[in-house]
Amino acid sequence: MADRLCLRDDPLLGMIVLMVIALGGFAIWSGLTWLGAQPPHLEVVTARGETVLLFGQGAYRLNPEFMALAFRAQDWVMLVALAMAGWSVVAMRGPRGFAVLLLALGYIFYGYSTLAFAAELDWLMPVHAAIFTLTLFALWRAGSDARAGFERITLPRGPVVAYLLLAGLGTAAAWGPPLLSDLSVGQEGQFFDTRTTQAGHVLRLALLMPLCLVAAGLVLRRNALGHVIALPLIGCLLLLFPARIAATVFQAQAGIEFTVAEWVGPIVGFAVIGLLAVWVLRLYLVALRQAPVMAATPEAA
């Protein structure tokens, strides 16, 4: 099977990405604009006896206020990810197009997996689940198309391995100890709200951390699959930085109180990871700039 490294030679991938963009745009429009009249504060008592304030309006009305505001912040940043995906399919050619698409799909997959697993059941849940599934297929298809082409290109290795190790170990250090500390004394975290676990903890500790370490090992061994895994991770970690800042600002404006450590710790941590992601991404784009466009042969089409 001949190598393909031109997005326009894979119409199925383009169709899947455009479906993701259409559904994502609809979900974002619903989350940001469909609010309705400001309701009175709605409080519920959880199974653990806690009183939790619900957001009470719009697409996220059944979610605790803390989570709903994080979802709205994610919607704003998701606009950037969807624009990147659309630009890569419509306007870009060659390996850099695949790199940008993989970057965007990484954050889209993370964002809608969070909504599919963590948002309270509402009429948008089937849309979130559909985007989650379509993005998974898009990642598989784009990765399959790009892997063979990446094997023919000299891509950065040392900085990518160092970044992935830092991101993987940093994720474990940032999110693991607080969770273990709460579990050791038999109590829930401050912002667990209506659930006993957080989808964010599962996704970061069970998905992002091991994938960063696996990708680092593959890149170190000069396996192109490592770069196929690394690019979505870099895109996810890059866009998590503005999403975390926006969520914290929205939550603080709503009257949710944070300690200085809760303000500074996550923001500084995501800032370091996000800014280093920009540096690694630049290395990728420079390496891919001169790479040839390898279109599919008639046998592979």
Side-chain angles (χ1 to χ4, degrees):
M1 182 175 178
D3 299 336
R4 290 186 297 183
L5 206 60
C6 179
L7 281 169
R8 297 179 187 180
D9 291 323
D10 194 341
L12 177 59
L13 174 60
M15 181 179 67
I16 294 173
V17 173
L18 292 178
M19 290 174 64
V20 169
I21 294 171
L23 288 174
F26 172 74
I28 292 171
W29 174 82
S30 301
L32 293 179
T33 64
W34 181 58
L35 291 177
Q38 179 69 35
H41 289 302
L42 301 176
E43 294 182 345
V44 298
V45 179
T46 71
R48 299 192 303 273
E50 299 173 297
T51 300
V52 176
L53 180 66
L54 298 185
F55 190 59
Q57 60 178 333
Y60 304 126
R61 65 189 182 281
L62 300 178
N63 291 273
E65 189 174 39
F66 179 85
M67 294 301 299
L69 293 169
F71 294 152
R72 285 173 59 78
Q74 178 177 279
D75 281 341
W76 283 110
V77 179
M78 191 64 69
L79 287 171
V80 177
L82 293 177
M84 289 171 59
W87 179 257
S88 68
V89 169
V90 174
M92 299 189 72
R93 292 179 62 86
R96 289 207 295 176
F98 274 96
V100 172
L101 178 59
L102 288 170
L103 288 165
L105 289 175
Y107 184 75
I108 295 170
F109 177 78
Y110 179 88
Y112 284 104
S113 61
T114 301
L115 286 168
F117 293 140
E120 297 297 329
L121 184 64
D122 197 2
W123 65 273
L124 271 181
M125 189 273 175
V127 179
H128 297 154
I131 299 171
F132 169 80
T133 303
L134 288 169
T135 307
L136 186 61
F137 279 115
L139 280 167
W140 167 76
R141 185 81 179 186
S144 299
D145 283 347
R147 180 180 178 183
F150 284 176
E151 289 176 346
R152 300 167 180 257
I153 303 169
T154 301
L155 294 173
R157 191 163 64 101
V160 174
V161 170
Y163 176 77
L164 291 171
L165 289 175
L166 174 64
L169 297 176
T171 299
W175 299 99
L179 186 61
L180 294 175
S181 175
D182 289 334
L183 292 174
S184 67
V185 296
Q187 68 181 27
E188 298 84 13
Q190 180 182 357
F191 301 116
F192 274 44
D193 291 323
T194 59
R195 297 180 180 271
T196 56
T197 58
Q198 283 187 332
H201 281 75
V202 175
L203 290 171
R204 295 183 189 103
L205 295 175
L207 187 65
L208 285 183
M209 180 189 70
L211 282 179
C212 283
L213 301 180
V214 168
L218 291 172
V219 171
L220 188 62
R221 298 176 61 184
R222 302 181 187 276
N223 189 324
L225 179 60
H227 296 289
V228 171
I229 299 173
L231 283 165
L233 292 171
I234 292 170
C236 179
L237 294 167
L238 173 62
L239 292 177
L240 274 174
F241 172 40
R244 183 63 266 170
I245 292 178
T248 304
V249 170
F250 291 169
Q251 291 157 352
Q253 288 177 340
I256 296 174
E257 296 182 356
F258 296 95
T259 65
V260 174
E262 289 167 344
W263 261 102
V264 175
I267 290 178
V268 171
F270 278 113
V272 172
I273 296 296
L275 293 176
L276 287 176
V278 174
W279 173 63
V280 175
L281 173 59
R282 179 181 176 277
L283 297 178
Y284 267 114
L285 295 180
V286 169
L288 294 170
R289 180 180 299 164
Q290 302 301 324
V293 176
M294 295 185 293
T297 63
E299 292 81 9

